[in-house]
Amino acid sequence: MIKYDKLWETMALRGITQYMLVKDYHVSKSLLHRLRNNQGVNMNTIDTLCTILHCNIEDIATHYDGDEE
């Protein structure tokens, strides 16, 4: 399972809000919904977020094996 908890921390450190992602970077609200609910997104999305936030993949997502959290 992939979780995006680190995304919100990285956004806070960079001073970027969800509102800014929608209005300034044209990220869809449905994509934000998927990220908030740890649903699947494609690698192009992760690449875009890394570019916006000037960070690495591990600053956005964490992989957990099975039921491990």
Side-chain angles (χ1 to χ4, degrees), residues 34-69:
R34 294 181 66 76
L35 291 165
R36 280 192 300 270
N37 291 291
N38 296 311
Q39 296 176 339
V41 297
N42 68 41
M43 290 306 292
N44 288 332
T45 298
I46 300 298
D47 180 52
T48 299
L49 291 170
C50 287
T51 300
I52 292 169
L53 297 171
H54 305 286
C55 68
N56 295 313
I57 293 172
E58 59 269 17
D59 297 323
I60 292 177
T62 305
H63 173 259
Y64 296 95
D65 287 330
D67 295 331
E68 178 186 336
E69 289 194 33

Side-chain angles (χ1 to χ4, degrees), residues 1-53:
M1 169 179 254
I2 303 292
K3 291 196 174 189
Y4 300 101
D5 295 339
K6 288 186 175 182
L7 169 62
W8 316 115
E9 296 169 13
T10 302
M11 286 174 56
L13 287 173
R14 303 290 194 273
I16 295 179
T17 64
Q18 291 182 45
Y19 178 81
M20 291 170 70
L21 286 179
V22 172
K23 294 300 179 186
D24 298 337
Y25 298 101
H26 310 290
V27 172
S28 71
K29 291 179 183 179
S30 63
L31 174 59
L32 287 177
H33 175 78
R34 294 181 66 76
L35 291 165
R36 280 192 300 270
N37 291 291
N38 296 311
Q39 296 176 339
V41 297
N42 68 41
M43 290 306 292
N44 288 332
T45 298
I46 300 298
D47 180 52
T48 299
L49 291 170
C50 287
T51 300
I52 292 169
L53 297 171

